[in-house]
Amino acid sequence: MWLVFFKELKELLRDRKTLFFMIALPLLIFPVIFGIAGFVGKQAIDKAETKILNYGIVGAQYAPDIVEELQQPDKFNLINIAADDDYKTIIRNETVDFVLVIPENYSNDVLQNGQATIKLYFNDAGLNLVYRRVNEIVESQSELFQQSAFATLGLDVNQQDALIKPIELEKVNTADTRENWGEKIGGMLPYLLFILCLQGAMFPATDIGAGEKERGTLETLLISPIDRNKIVLGKFLTISFAGTMTALITVASMAIWGLVLSQGMAIQIVADFMAQIGVLDFVLIFLMLVPVVAIFAAVLLSISIYAKSFKEAQSYIGPMMIFVIVPIMLSILPGVELKGGWAWVPITNVSLAMKELVKGTMDYYQLFAIFGSTVVIAGGLFAFCVYWFNKEKVLFR
């Protein structure tokens, strides 16, 4: 078994494509991709915030204060339009970015004229920040109107607050910092780890089974004095090792790059959060990953052994991503908790357990159900893989 494992591992490490997918891709490419995505996103937001917006205004005579606020050449550019123009058309044709329609009852005397509704026409399908930028101006005027009304009524600060919000509901969060952060990021951890494990195991699995068929080296291995069950186990361990290492390298790479690129405050937040997670929780997260990787490895090896060629194996293995994503998505849904039957649902139970471990709210008794069900499924799939490998019509189809 170990002889086959080290033989397959050595061949795996000699293959440049394998090294690229296992090491170079997670260590360099993924962080670069995420970095570029973040940079492009920030550039798009900065551009939207600094873009000079062309606008049209109807009923400007009713709101001279808003007209004055919009007279900022570095932010807004007035385009003359008629009240009967089709606002949707001129916005779609990019004649203007937005149209502001001021009602006749607009006045700073809100006690006399009541509430005024200003209509803002714009295309909200893209990242343009039109609403936010215009709303800042409208909100500033609204506050001035409020203060004018309060002064007329002779209200003090407490009376003003009570009038604006007669009853205020104060939120007292009983969850600690770890639980808050764990709820936010705990659900993404299994998604990241499982997908990376599967991705890292796909190429070695395809090469170890279908690839050997194409190269004609499978027959040589079969006539060796090594028991077939040990051959399967050696290949199985190689795929599991590749999947686990890809996930660990990727996560470590992202953590290192995140610390390098983040500013001091962000590092402190991450450090404070990570310090609250015990060593036992990290160990349990890794241990739960082992049977999950075993499930992936057994399924991938069975498919690879069945396929006639490398290309055929890839076409079979590709849709597996869906069968992994769906159980992970179930664990993120509201109301799905690590209780009752969910502790026995494969993949989903491990996803829920990882989230609970990160949050610090794990019921450790549930680990028996989680490990038990996952190990049983992994063992059953591996047994099928051994049975599959021993069938001549599968090996030489």
Side-chain angles (χ1 to χ4, degrees):
M1 177 192 74
W2 293 111
L3 187 64
V4 175
F5 171 70
F6 287 119
K7 171 255 182 189
E8 296 290 356
L9 188 61
K10 187 182 294 183
E11 290 183 356
L12 210 60
L13 296 176
R14 285 175 179 172
D15 192 335
R16 292 182 179 179
K17 288 188 294 184
T18 303
L19 291 176
F20 175 78
F21 281 103
M22 283 183 60
I23 300 175
L25 190 64
L27 196 61
L28 297 174
I29 304 300
F30 282 159
V32 169
I33 291 173
F34 292 144
I36 292 174
F39 175 77
V40 172
K42 186 177 183 303
Q43 291 292 105
I45 292 174
D46 291 343
K47 183 179 179 182
E49 288 179 340
T50 57
K51 177 186 176 183
I52 298 176
L53 299 176
N54 294 322
Y55 73 96
I57 186 167
V58 177
Q61 67 274 17
Y62 305 123
D65 41 12
I66 290 182
V67 173
E68 184 178 353
E69 287 287 339
L70 288 170
Q71 291 176 358
Q72 303 179 52
D74 58 331
K75 295 182 179 180
F76 303 100
N77 178 43
L78 177 62
I79 303 295
N80 293 322
I81 63 170
D84 56 351
D85 283 343
D86 187 345
Y87 305 145
K88 184 176 181 179
T89 300
I90 62 175
I91 291 173
R92 181 179 295 173
N93 295 338
E94 299 183 356
T95 304
V96 295
D97 294 299
F98 68 90
V99 175
L100 212 57
V101 179
I102 312 294
E104 294 182 5
N105 69 328
Y106 180 90
S107 171
N108 60 356
D109 188 0
V110 294
L111 296 176
Q112 179 67 30
N113 296 313
Q115 186 184 59
T117 301
I118 298 176
K119 291 185 179 180
L120 173 65
Y121 294 85
F122 72 107
N123 186 347
D124 198 24
L127 178 64
N128 47 43
L129 304 182
V130 170
Y131 180 83
R132 192 178 80 180
R133 292 173 63 179
V134 176
N135 189 58
E136 290 175 357
I137 295 174
V138 174
E139 284 292 326
S140 66
Q141 294 300 317
S142 179
E143 290 178 6
L144 292 175
F145 289 2
Q146 283 181 352
Q147 295 303 319
S148 176
F150 293 151
T152 302
L153 295 173
L155 302 178
D156 59 27
V157 175
N158 292 332
Q159 291 172 324
Q160 293 175 19
D161 293 339
L163 188 61
I164 294 173
K165 198 169 186 179
I167 301 175
E168 183 174 4
L169 181 64
E170 182 179 355
K171 183 173 70 174
V172 181
N173 192 354
T174 59
D176 55 22
T177 305
R178 175 179 175 180
E179 191 172 347
N180 280 326
W181 278 95
E183 183 64 32
K184 293 180 177 68
I185 67 174
M188 296 304 298
L189 180 63
Y191 182 86
L192 176 67
L193 290 178
F194 291 174
I195 297 300
L196 290 173
C197 286
L198 181 61
Q199 190 70 38
M202 276 184 177
F203 183 82
T206 308
D207 185 67
I208 283 174
E212 284 213 75
K213 280 187 177 182
E214 283 192 333
R215 293 191 298 270
T217 57
L218 184 61
E219 290 84 352
T220 306
L221 186 62
L222 292 173
I223 62 175
S224 65
I226 305 174
D227 184 70
R228 282 198 181 185
N229 294 348
K230 293 182 179 179
I231 293 175
V232 179
L233 186 56
K235 291 178 177 291
F236 171 82
L237 290 176
T238 305
I239 298 170
S240 301
F241 176 80
T244 306
M245 289 307 298
T246 301
L248 292 178
I249 290 172
T250 304
V251 173
S253 171
M254 289 182 177
I256 293 170
W257 279 103
L259 291 174
V260 170
L261 299 177
S262 297
Q263 297 180 356
M265 182 58 68
I267 294 176
Q268 188 60 43
I269 293 173
V270 174
D272 292 342
F273 171 67
M274 296 298 289
Q276 297 179 53
I277 304 177
V279 176
L280 177 62
D281 295 330
F282 279 114
V283 173
L284 288 174
I285 289 173
F286 177 76
L287 289 178
M288 284 190 293
L289 199 63
V290 173
V292 173
V293 173
I295 292 175
F296 295 162
V299 174
L300 291 171
L301 184 56
S302 299
I303 294 174
S304 183
I305 291 169
Y306 176 78
K308 294 180 181 179
S309 63
F310 192 95
K311 186 176 181 180
E312 184 180 347
Q314 286 182 318
S315 65
Y316 291 151
I317 289 174
M320 263 199 70
M321 196 73 71
I322 299 174
F323 295 99
V324 176
I325 291 175
V326 172
I328 298 174
M329 295 302 294
L330 287 175
S331 66
I332 305 176
L333 294 176
V336 179
E337 299 178 356
L338 192 60
K339 297 177 182 178
W342 287 111
W344 300 90
V345 179
I347 309 273
T348 302
N349 55 3
V350 179
S351 301
L352 290 169
M354 286 185 175
K355 183 168 72 172
E356 294 298 320
L357 286 169
V358 174
K359 289 170 59 179
T361 56
M362 180 66 188
D363 179 7
Y364 291 97
Y365 289 105
Q366 297 285 3
L367 291 174
F368 293 102
I370 296 168
F371 276 108
S373 60
T374 311
V375 169
V376 167
I377 293 172
L381 289 172
F382 176 71
F384 173 78
C385 187
V386 173
Y387 164 77
W388 207 233
F389 194 83
N390 281 287
K391 293 180 72 67
E392 299 292 333
K393 65 179 182 179
V394 173
L395 290 176
F396 303 105
R397 61 183 288 271

